[in-house]
Amino acid sequence: MSILRVNKISKVYGKQPVLDRISFSIESGEFVGIMGPSGSGKTTLLRSLGTLDRPTYGEVWIKDESTFELQQENLSVFRRKKLGFVFQQFDLLDTLTVEENILLPLILNKNDIPSMKQRLQEVTTDLGIENLLKMRIDSLSGGQKQKAAIARAIIHRPDLLLADEPTGNLDSKASREIMEIFNSLHKQNKTTILLVTHDPVIASYCDRLLFLKDGQLYNEIYKGDDQKGFFQKILDMLALLGGDRRDFYTINFPKYDS
Ligand SMILES: Nc1ncnc2c1ncn2[C@@H]1O[C@H](COP(=O)(O)OP(=O)(O)O)[C@@H](O)[C@H]1O
Ligand SMILES: [Mg+2]
C-alpha cells in the first residue's frame, strides 16, 4: 500500500521555480532518503509533503487522503495524527520538560491518561531515554534532544515519519546513535520514513534514495542486498550531480571542542 503519493508538484517563489514537477510514491514500511546539493529543494520538498508548505501545483496524497483538499484549520490536526517530524534544530519547547514535550501530540489529540502513560513508557524505553523525562530541554546534549524529538515524532504512531537533516547538528557519535534509532524504527516497528540528508554515510542507512538537482528529480537508486556497492553508488551519484563536493562531507568532519 502506498503511504505517500506525489503527483507533479511544483513550488514557485516569485518567478523562481524551487520544485519542478516532482512525482514519486512511497510504500508502507519503506525507508527512503532524499539527497541533493545545498539549495536543490530538499527542505522545500519535505515541507510540501508534510503540509507545512503548500505546493504551487500538483497533489500529495497521504494514505489516499489528498492534502490539497484539507482546509487550513484541519491541517494541524491532520499533521499531528498522521505525520511525525524530526528537524535538524530539534524544535523542542524549552519551557517544557522532556516528558511534556514528548506527550504533546497525545495531549493535543486528547488521548486518555492511562494510554498516554503506557505509550510514553514504550517509546522512551525503546529509545533509552526514560531517565531524561523530568529534565529540561536546555540541560540535554544534542543527541539527547534529538532522541526526545524522535520520541515526540513517533508517540502517536504516525503513518509517515519525516526527517530533515536530523543529524545536521550532531557530532559523529551522536549521529550514528540517531541513525541506529531510525534503522530500528524501520526494521522493528516497520515505520515508513522519509529522510532528507546531504551526507552519504547517513543516506546509506536508507533502502532507496531520490536525488534532487535544481528542484527536479534527477535519479533514484536502491540498496538491495549490496550495502557496500550502495555506498559507492551514492558517491558516484553525488559526483554526477556536481555542485561543491565538499558540501556533501561537512557533517562528518570532526567537531572541535572550542
Ligand atoms: N520561503 C522562501 N522564499 C523564497 N525562496 C526560498 C524560500 N525557501 C527556500 N527558498 C529557495 O529555494 C531553494 C531551495 O531551498 P531548500 O529547499 O531550503 O534547499 P535544500 O534544503 O536542498 O538546501 C533555495 O534557492 C532557497 O533559497
Ligand atoms: Mg535543507
Side-chain angles (χ1 to χ4, degrees), residues 112-142:
D112 62 86
I113 288 173
S115 77
M116 283 203 265
K117 279 192 172 155
Q118 195 198 331
R119 193 61 195 134
L120 178 71
Q121 166 145 34
E122 282 168 12
V123 294
T124 53
T125 318
D126 274 0
L127 300 187
I129 53 171
E130 318 93 298
N131 56 334
L132 302 180
L133 288 180
K134 302 297 172 203
M135 287 173 75
R136 304 202 75 82
I137 300 303
D138 54 16
S139 63
L140 303 182
S141 70

Side-chain angles (χ1 to χ4, degrees), residues 13-251:
Y13 286 117
K15 284 190 173 160
Q16 181 73 21
V18 170
L19 298 178
D20 188 6
R21 289 161 295 167
I22 291 183
S23 301
F24 66 97
S25 43
I26 294 184
E27 301 304 304
S28 180
E30 270 198 292
F31 186 2
V32 178
I34 297 174
M35 293 201 84
S38 181
S40 57
K42 302 182 297 296
T43 292
T44 307
L45 176 58
L46 200 81
R47 290 179 56 86
S48 300
L49 305 180
T51 75
L52 296 167
D53 265 348
R54 201 175 175 82
T56 316
Y57 307 104
E59 266 195 284
V60 176
W61 288 269
I62 291 168
K63 258 195 155 177
D64 289 330
E65 191 161 1
S66 167
T67 61
F68 194 76
E69 280 153 20
L70 288 168
Q71 296 304 308
Q72 201 58 42
E73 63 267 28
N74 296 329
L75 275 176
S76 54
V77 179
F78 177 82
R79 276 198 291 271
R80 66 176 196 251
K81 294 206 162 148
K82 306 288 174 78
L83 301 174
F85 293 93
V86 179
F87 301 103
Q88 179 172 354
Q89 309 289 352
F90 320 121
D91 287 73
L92 296 159
L93 297 172
D94 286 333
T95 50
L96 303 181
T97 63
V98 170
E99 175 173 355
E100 289 161 345
N101 267 283
I102 297 173
L103 282 174
L104 211 54
L106 299 187
I107 293 171
L108 292 170
N109 286 338
K110 301 192 171 64
N111 286 47
D112 62 86
I113 288 173
S115 77
M116 283 203 265
K117 279 192 172 155
Q118 195 198 331
R119 193 61 195 134
L120 178 71
Q121 166 145 34
E122 282 168 12
V123 294
T124 53
T125 318
D126 274 0
L127 300 187
I129 53 171
E130 318 93 298
N131 56 334
L132 302 180
L133 288 180
K134 302 297 172 203
M135 287 173 75
R136 304 202 75 82
I137 300 303
D138 54 16
S139 63
L140 303 182
S141 70
Q144 290 172 327
K145 283 183 190 171
Q146 200 57 303
K147 286 180 194 171
I150 293 173
R152 180 186 57 182
I154 60 169
I155 194 159
H156 55 297
R157 303 181 203 273
D159 292 324
L160 178 63
L161 179 59
L162 298 165
D164 192 355
E165 307 271 8
T167 60
N169 274 325
L170 304 178
D171 62 26
S172 54
K173 179 168 174 285
S175 295
R176 204 159 42 242
E177 277 186 50
I178 293 302
M179 289 317 295
E180 288 305 329
I181 289 174
F182 278 104
N183 201 32
S184 132
L185 288 173
H186 167 52
K187 295 264 157 63
Q188 259 95 59
N189 303 18
K190 312 286 179 224
T191 306
T192 311
I193 305 171
L194 181 59
L195 174 148
V196 161
T197 183
H198 63 256
D199 183 314
V201 177
I202 302 300
S204 66
Y205 282 86
C206 300
D207 287 338
R208 171 158 70 112
L209 292 173
L210 308 173
F211 290 84
L212 280 189
K213 183 177 186 178
D214 302 330
Q216 292 188 328
L217 204 53
Y218 180 78
N219 210 337
E220 70 178 316
I221 59 174
Y222 285 82
K223 177 149 66 186
D225 298 326
D226 183 10
Q227 181 95 38
K228 257 205 182 134
F230 187 55
F231 188 66
Q232 190 54 49
K233 271 199 250 172
I234 299 173
L235 296 181
D236 293 346
M237 193 56 67
L238 295 180
L240 260 180
L241 276 175
D244 183 356
R245 278 184 68 87
R246 276 172 304 169
D247 173 58
F248 293 119
Y249 293 97
T250 44
I251 283 181

